Amino acid sequence: GVLAGEIGYVHVANWSDPVPNLDGILELFQGRAGVIVDLRHNPGGDFTHGFPLAARFADQARLAFTTETKTGPARDELGQRVEWTIEPTGNPSYHGPVVVLANGFTNSAAERTLMAFRVLPQVTVVGSRTAGNHGEKVGGELSNGWSYSLVPQVVTAADGTSYEGPGIPPDLEVANSAAEIAGGLDRQFEASMQLLVGGG
């Protein structure tokens, strides 16, 4: 939708499916003063569903992250390095100021989508560190019925850092408390609006 101050807004609840009506959403954003992309509480899914959205904000091809998958027991036994890039794809597009909201419940594929967004020069990430579990996992079921999963992959952001564990830090850290949220106050959202409407 469109918020006060001519700010476009989209919340992506998960990456189980592609964003529906992407053309319509970007049409709605045309001429707006800014856009907020809310990835908070997104548990992930298929990160390739996130790239088409991020691509609508890209001005040129940029490296988003690289992946390397374990091929043996030693720490440095890794397979081929794969580069994942974000590049302009599809119209309409939007190249004005963008805030991406993230928090500790931004997981997995949502974190990889965030890596794509954060290399774009007009994007500011607001909120708190992400969950830090964005490597592809393999798993199965034990004889007693328990499930297990392992992450045999190293994901490295474009800045050369692996954020597996500590999570991806925001550009502007803003904390929300449960009590404030229950009372209707979302400091992360308010900070995003201030950046886009108030100019910083």
Side-chain angles (χ1 to χ4, degrees):
V2 179
L3 306 171
E6 286 296 296
I7 303 299
Y9 176 87
V10 59
H11 174 250
V12 184
N14 61 67
W15 285 124
S16 298
D17 299 293
V19 174
N21 192 25
L22 193 52
D23 287 347
I25 291 171
L26 268 296
E27 281 289 352
L28 189 64
F29 291 168
Q30 297 306 296
R32 306 300 176 185
V35 168
I36 296 173
V37 178
D38 196 342
L39 297 180
R40 295 178 297 175
H41 286 77
N42 183 319
D46 183 344
F47 77 87
T48 62
H49 292 328
F51 269 45
L53 174 63
R56 295 300 184 100
F57 299 88
D59 61 335
Q60 65 183 54
R62 299 174 191 271
L63 176 67
F65 57 82
T66 62
T67 57
E68 297 168 284
T69 301
K70 289 279 287 176
T71 57
R75 184 180 182 87
D76 60 350
E77 287 187 76
L78 300 170
Q80 181 180 1
R81 183 175 183 264
V82 179
E83 294 187 345
W84 297 87
T85 59
I86 187 70
E87 56 188 85
T89 305
N91 281 306
S93 59
Y94 181 85
H95 303 291
V98 177
V99 169
V100 179
L101 283 166
N103 64 9
F105 298 97
T106 302
N107 280 270
S108 191
E111 293 179 280
R112 292 204 194 196
T113 304
L114 181 61
M115 288 183 195
F117 268 106
R118 69 198 294 262
V119 300
L120 305 179
Q122 79 276 25
V123 170
T124 303
V125 180
V126 174
S128 49
R129 280 185 178 267
T130 62
N133 58 354
H134 40 265
E136 290 290 334
K137 63 183 179 180
V138 296
E141 184 176 305
L142 301 176
S143 60
N144 64 358
W146 290 2
S147 296
Y148 71 91
S149 64
L150 303 170
V151 179
Q153 189 178 68
V154 177
V155 180
T156 305
D159 63 7
T161 303
S162 172
Y163 292 104
E164 189 80 30
I168 304 167
D171 298 311
L172 175 62
E173 187 166 3
V174 180
N176 274 340
S177 73
E180 288 172 337
I181 290 294
L185 176 60
D186 184 345
R187 292 189 184 276
Q188 294 170 344
F189 176 80
E190 296 296 334
S192 299
M193 290 294 289
Q194 179 61 33
L195 279 174
L196 295 174
V197 178

